[in-house]
């Protein structure tokens, strides 16, 4: 059915007016954790100004910039180059900061103070600023001065001790989970600070760290220790406490099955033709099944290995038993539900052409999450942005000659 004029107007409005329109963000972030936070602001309509140092000689800036990682992280922004170590560069930054709403950074904790672009420096000229910081281990304390990266935090925060198969040694998770979580948490915290500013007129300093994010993400594994004194270990593909939940072989691969609750386990046993399992004293409770996980997993595996994955997924879905295939990443983006959700979103760039990047996982009724602009080249908008805060062409030329921009 064709869209009505009203529907078409609403769609057009959703692509030009977004929830964060009118918010200006200065992006001082590096690597992944900080840009993950900034991406939420950029995707939902803030005017994000990415501030980078002028490139050094011999750096492969274009190669990195036009690669899959940078392109996925830095869409919907404008970009300037600015040497914050110079007097002129610092002055230009402070002019921008005076009109900004949010500043986001993930430098080592002491660097922003050395550059005189810290929260205290900025709020002296703009008390409404919301200043967001990610560090490796916190802004102070015994490890405050340390640099931190994702895998170090995975190890220190306990994740590697509970990931992987028992007896095989520590194992990292296959994505930078601490970087991503810290970035998501910082964005959430800054949004709350902006909401609070509407009532108070005063900004806040919002901080998190890779270590805090990892400890937070331990979730029930952390509360097992805090409340019960249990130190979780590695459980491989099994759920740490609810069995049977894990990976099971099929005649053409593997599938995930989650049938740990008594109700679902009953349906599961009936579906695979093993109602007698329900009468076994050692398997009647979740605790009992967890104690005897090796035996029950082996028994299930003998059955599931006789037929292909599609057979079992169809059967279990029909009986309300959570299950699913184990997809490679190419299969993920071919999955009909992932395609329906639009998790690969189109983007055009004059540098890389027509491509796709990962869409925001947030959906807000009435608003589009289509990519509005490609990741800019370094300094692509330096002139227009600095002119907007009063710089003349002559001043910009002088700053270029001095290596400030």
């Amino acid at each position: 059915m064709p869209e009505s004029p009203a529907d078409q107007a609403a769609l057009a409005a959703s692509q030009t007016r977004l929830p964060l329109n009118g918010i200006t963000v200065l992006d001082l972030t590096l690597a992944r954790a900080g840009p993950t936070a900034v991406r939420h602001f950029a995707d939902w309509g803030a005017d994000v100004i990415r501030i980078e140092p002028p490139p050094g000689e011999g750096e492969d800036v274009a190669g990195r910039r036009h690669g899959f990682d940078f392109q996925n992280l830095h869409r919907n922004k404008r970009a300037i180059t600015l040497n914050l170590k110079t007097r002129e560069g610092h002055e230009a930054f402070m002019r921008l900061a005076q009109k900004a709403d949010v500043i986001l950074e993930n430098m080592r904790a002491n660097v922003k103070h050395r550059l005189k672009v810290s929260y205290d420096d900025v709020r002296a000229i703009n008390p409404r600023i919301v200043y967001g910081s990610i560090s490796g281990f916190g802004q102070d304390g015994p490890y405050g001065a340390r640099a931190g990266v994702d895998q170090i935090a995975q190890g220190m925060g306990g994740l590697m001790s509970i990931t992987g198969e028992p007896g095989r040694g520590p194992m990292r998770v296959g994505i930078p989970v601490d970087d991503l979580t810290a970035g998501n948490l910082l964005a959430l915290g800054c949004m709350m600070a902006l909401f609070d500013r509407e009532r108070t007129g005063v900004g806040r300093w919002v901080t998190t760290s890779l270590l805090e994010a990892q400890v937070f993400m331990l979730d029930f594994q952390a509360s097992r220790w805090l409340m019960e004194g249990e130190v979780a270990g590695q459980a491989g593909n099994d759920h740490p406490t609810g069995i049977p939940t894990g990976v099971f072989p099929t005649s053409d691969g593997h599938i995930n099955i989650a049938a740990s609750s008594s109700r679902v386990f009953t349906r599961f046993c009936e579906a695979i033709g093993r109602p007698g399992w329900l009468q076994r004293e050692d398997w009647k409770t979740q605790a009992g099944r967890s104690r005897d996980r090796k035996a029950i997993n082996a028994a299930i595996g003998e059955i599931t290995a006789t037929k292909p994955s599609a057979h079992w997924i169809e059967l279990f879905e029909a009986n309300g038993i959570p299950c699913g295939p184990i997809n490679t990443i190419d299969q993920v983006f071919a999955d009909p539900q992932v395609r329906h959700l639009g998790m690969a979103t189109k983007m055009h760039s004059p540098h890389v052409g027509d491509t796709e990047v990962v869409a925001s996982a947030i959906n807000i009724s009435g608003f589009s999450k289509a990519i509005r602009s490609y990741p800019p080249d370094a300094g692509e908008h330096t002139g227009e942005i600095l002119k907007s805060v009063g710089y003349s062409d002559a001043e910009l030329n002088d700053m270029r000659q001095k290596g400030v921009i």
Side-chain angles (χ1 to χ4, degrees), residues 20-75:
L20 297 179
N21 285 164
I23 297 295
T24 297
V25 177
L26 302 185
D27 173 13
L28 291 172
T29 65
L30 306 164
R32 187 177 316 281
T36 296
V38 177
R39 184 168 53 188
H40 289 293
F41 285 89
D43 281 352
W44 292 104
D47 177 18
V48 175
I49 300 170
R50 179 166 173 77
I51 300 173
E52 302 168 274
E57 292 184 9
E59 290 184 17
D60 180 24
V61 175
R64 294 197 305 274
R65 206 171 193 92
H66 301 155
F68 60 86
D69 199 12
F70 191 98
Q71 293 290 305
N72 189 56
L73 278 172
H74 296 289
R75 70 277 188 111

Side-chain angles (χ1 to χ4, degrees), residues 9-350:
L11 177 61
S14 77
Q15 294 174 333
T16 57
R17 185 184 73 80
L18 290 166
L20 297 179
N21 285 164
I23 297 295
T24 297
V25 177
L26 302 185
D27 173 13
L28 291 172
T29 65
L30 306 164
R32 187 177 316 281
T36 296
V38 177
R39 184 168 53 188
H40 289 293
F41 285 89
D43 281 352
W44 292 104
D47 177 18
V48 175
I49 300 170
R50 179 166 173 77
I51 300 173
E52 302 168 274
E57 292 184 9
E59 290 184 17
D60 180 24
V61 175
R64 294 197 305 274
R65 206 171 193 92
H66 301 155
F68 60 86
D69 199 12
F70 191 98
Q71 293 290 305
N72 189 56
L73 278 172
H74 296 289
R75 70 277 188 111
N76 297 326
K77 299 179 181 182
R78 297 190 291 164
I80 72 171
T81 54
L82 201 59
N83 187 346
L84 297 177
K85 296 178 181 178
T86 65
R87 178 185 58 79
E88 296 92 340
H90 182 265
E91 179 184 332
F93 173 81
M94 296 305 275
R95 280 203 210 179
L96 292 169
Q98 196 165 16
K99 295 186 175 183
D101 298 286
V102 179
I103 295 173
L104 296 172
E105 61 87 19
N106 62 325
M107 309 170 190
R108 195 182 296 201
N110 63 339
V111 172
K112 58 186 162 291
H113 300 286
R114 188 169 68 243
L115 293 174
K116 299 189 186 316
V117 295
S118 71
Y119 173 61
D120 288 336
D121 295 313
V122 175
R123 73 168 175 169
I125 61 167
N126 180 0
R128 289 175 54 81
I129 198 70
V130 171
Y131 193 108
S133 298
I134 297 176
S135 60
F137 306 103
Q139 296 298 314
D140 48 29
Y143 304 157
R146 287 189 188 180
V149 297
D150 179 87
Q151 186 159 336
I152 304 303
Q154 285 194 33
M156 292 179 68
L159 181 60
M160 292 174 68
S161 75
I162 58 174
T163 303
E165 297 178 347
R168 296 289 296 273
M171 180 67 65
R172 71 180 293 274
V173 173
I175 59 170
V177 62
D178 290 343
D179 282 343
L180 299 173
T181 301
N184 292 334
L185 291 172
L186 188 71
L188 174 63
C190 288
M191 302 293 180
M192 289 190 282
L194 283 171
F195 183 80
D196 181 67
R197 192 183 73 174
E198 291 301 301
R199 295 180 294 191
T200 66
V202 177
R204 301 284 177 182
W205 187 16
V206 182
T207 71
T208 190
S209 66
L210 303 187
L211 184 59
E212 287 169 287
Q214 179 51 72
V215 174
F216 170 78
M217 287 290 282
L218 288 177
D219 198 62
F220 77 93
Q221 296 282 44
S223 65
R224 283 177 71 184
W225 162 249
L226 293 173
M227 297 183 66
E228 303 293 340
E230 296 179 6
V231 178
Q234 294 167 302
N237 287 318
D238 291 337
H239 188 278
T241 58
I243 299 298
T245 297
V247 175
F248 296 90
T250 66
S251 63
D252 61 354
H254 295 82
I255 59 172
N256 275 313
I257 303 170
S260 62
S261 73
S262 296
R263 185 178 70 255
V264 177
F265 185 65
T266 297
R267 293 202 298 265
F268 175 77
C269 292
E270 292 170 349
I272 64 172
R274 295 296 188 275
W277 287 0
L278 299 171
Q279 307 309 314
R280 290 188 54 160
E281 288 298 324
D282 49 349
W283 290 2
K284 279 187 175 181
T285 66
Q286 189 177 102
R289 293 191 293 273
S290 291
R291 283 193 297 269
D292 203 22
R293 67 176 61 207
K294 287 186 178 181
I296 194 169
N297 285 348
I300 293 170
E302 287 181 5
I303 296 168
T304 57
T306 63
K307 295 185 184 299
S309 299
H311 167 84
W312 296 116
I313 290 172
E314 182 179 358
L315 175 68
F316 295 150
E317 282 290 326
N319 286 275
I321 299 162
C323 64
I326 299 172
N327 291 329
T328 56
I329 292 175
D330 57 327
Q331 292 170 331
V332 170
F333 285 99
D335 183 278
Q337 185 66 21
V338 174
R339 294 174 69 87
H340 169 75
L341 295 170
M343 287 308 298
T345 188
K346 295 183 184 301
M347 183 179 77
H348 175 77
S349 164

